[in-house]
Amino acid sequence: MIKLDNLSRTYRTDEVETAALSGVNIEIAQGEFVAIMGPSGCGKSTLLNILGMLDNPSQGQYWFGEEDISAYSESKLANIRKRNIGFIFQSFNLIDELSVEENIELALLYHGIPSAERKERVANVMDKVGIAHRAKHMPSQLSGGQQQRVAIARAVVGNQGIILADEPTGNLDSVHGQEVMDMLRALNEDGTTIIMVTHSAAHADYARRTINLFDGGVVTENVKAA
């Protein structure tokens, strides 16, 4: 499904050149649960941004399915991204002025889906993540764990096959973090591909495979025994 071939990302200013990623080779199959770990500044966020088509590599190839999308325009990447990828962020990124159900429905407004179908999808996904009883509430009326449930619902309501999660438990206590990880595991068991950046070894243990980065390169890959 995803293949990075000798991929590098360099950021340049007038005086400084910084290699955020260097010579990265990764393959991720459909239905995998992959954790990405490493110290701060090792390139985790840059890698996730490239995987999510929010940034472009400086060198190398990014194969998405059968297409090398490395040099695609932003508009072309956006079309692929909205059909295939959902995002979960550490900071939830909910819109304060919208209710729970409106925040979730917002993810469908750019897909040309009729209103009745949007409402049905939103209702179904709220049930799935256990937040339906808060449908009319505003984000400020929710706990951190509930806000992250809304963010997960928003990421999956469009039936995207890939979820990119950037420290999804970083702002949560241990109990709510565990709940979020259980939801991600359930989504993966239903066939969704999960790629997650985390600092938590315990949460990385939910993944089938852990990729460890250091100084912009892959240093180890650990695969759990079946």
Side-chain angles (χ1 to χ4, degrees):
M1 171 183 278
I2 288 174
K3 180 180 179 182
L4 306 184
D5 187 6
N6 200 32
L7 186 140
S8 297
R9 180 64 171 104
T10 301
Y11 297 101
R12 295 180 175 87
T13 65
D14 290 341
E15 299 179 356
V16 179
E17 180 175 290
T18 303
L21 294 173
S22 180
V24 172
N25 295 287
I26 293 174
E27 291 190 41
I28 298 172
Q30 184 174 349
E32 275 201 272
F33 192 154
V34 176
I36 299 171
M37 298 191 73
S40 296
C42 71
K44 299 187 301 297
S45 294
T46 300
L47 177 58
L48 205 68
N49 285 339
I50 289 175
L51 290 171
M53 306 175 197
L54 301 172
D55 196 1
N56 294 97
S58 303
Q59 292 181 317
Q61 296 175 305
Y62 176 4
W63 291 88
F64 189 83
E66 301 298 319
E67 301 177 74
D68 177 6
I69 64 171
S70 310
Y72 277 15
S73 66
E74 170 53 32
S75 60
K76 201 166 183 178
L77 290 174
N79 285 330
I80 298 173
R81 182 171 60 240
K82 72 180 182 181
R83 293 196 310 268
N84 294 283
I85 300 175
F87 294 88
I88 303 170
F89 303 98
Q90 177 178 343
S91 57
F92 315 137
N93 287 359
L94 303 179
I95 297 176
D96 292 338
E97 294 77 18
L98 299 181
S99 68
V100 164
E101 60 185 359
E102 289 169 338
N103 264 282
I104 299 169
E105 186 179 5
L106 190 64
L108 297 175
L109 293 180
Y110 307 104
H111 292 262
I113 298 171
S115 176
E117 183 180 345
R118 292 201 308 269
K119 301 295 184 186
E120 182 179 2
R121 284 201 195 184
V122 170
N124 288 340
V125 79
M126 285 192 300
D127 280 337
K128 189 172 186 177
V129 303
I131 204 70
H133 63 296
R134 297 286 192 175
K136 302 298 183 182
H137 286 67
M138 310 303 282
S140 62
Q141 297 173 295
L142 306 179
S143 69
Q146 290 169 334
Q147 289 188 60
Q148 195 62 298
R149 285 173 181 263
V150 178
I152 291 172
R154 182 185 57 194
V156 302
V157 70
N159 296 327
Q160 288 92 339
I162 301 171
I163 297 296
L164 300 184
D166 190 1
E167 296 283 0
T169 62
N171 282 338
L172 303 177
D173 60 34
S174 59
V175 172
H176 289 114
Q178 184 81 34
E179 291 176 356
V180 166
M181 292 310 303
D182 288 340
M183 279 188 279
L184 291 178
R185 178 161 58 188
L187 288 169
N188 179 247
E189 289 172 349
D190 286 342
T192 302
T193 303
I194 309 287
I195 305 171
M196 175 184 69
V197 164
T198 182
H199 280 104
S200 168
H203 292 164
D205 197 46
Y206 278 75
R208 177 77 173 85
R209 180 159 56 112
T210 300
I211 296 171
N212 293 285
L213 297 183
F214 187 76
D215 284 350
V218 175
V219 288
T220 59
E221 289 195 40
N222 304 315
V223 180
K224 288 176 65 176

